[in-house]
Amino acid sequence: MIPLPPAVTVVGLQRQLLAAGWADADLIRIARGHDLAIRLFGGRFRASGIPFVCHLAGTAAILAAAGTRPDVVIAGLLHAAYAQGDWGDRGPGGIGRHRRLVAEAAGREAEALVHAY
């Protein structure tokens, strides 16, 4: 069987992870992370014209293909959340509230990786 190239959509990423035997709980975190990514980057595009969420899915897919653990893959899906995400607010709570939202979607360990990025 010829290996598939890394995915660039969340559907392709999920298919890749299912084929790799990922646990349901981690697939749910991928889905939640993607939902957050859509909220943060839904209308954004890379300079190449590719939707930003495709860049994020592609990053996660490459990390998964390399055999990294789920927290790293999920962090790859959200790696630009703090630096480039459109949080739509600048009021009280700021980064602390943002970190809680990422942790709720991705898990604490994945959030710590996103924050370190």
Side-chain angles (χ1 to χ4, degrees):
M1 181 179 202
I2 299 171
L4 296 173
V8 293
T9 66
V10 72
V11 172
L13 176 60
Q14 288 172 329
R15 289 181 69 192
Q16 178 183 339
L17 300 178
L18 280 168
W22 271 42
D24 288 346
D26 292 325
L27 293 171
I28 289 168
R29 289 194 302 149
I30 284 288
R32 288 181 182 156
H34 182 260
D35 287 347
L36 179 57
I38 289 292
R39 291 192 343 238
L40 296 175
F41 300 101
R44 311 251 330 253
F45 293 85
R46 302 279 292 174
S48 64
I50 295 171
F52 205 94
V53 293
C54 292
H55 162 71
L56 298 171
T59 300
I62 290 168
L63 291 167
T68 60
R69 58 191 162 79
D71 284 310
V72 174
V73 175
I74 295 165
L77 183 62
L78 292 167
H79 71 271
Y82 299 130
Q84 299 178 44
D86 181 6
W87 291 93
D89 67 350
R90 303 290 182 252
I95 191 68
R97 189 175 72 76
H98 301 167
R99 290 192 73 183
R100 283 189 299 279
L101 289 172
V102 172
E104 287 171 7
R108 288 182 185 258
E109 189 173 340
E111 186 285 325
L113 294 169
V114 174
H115 186 257
Y117 175 80

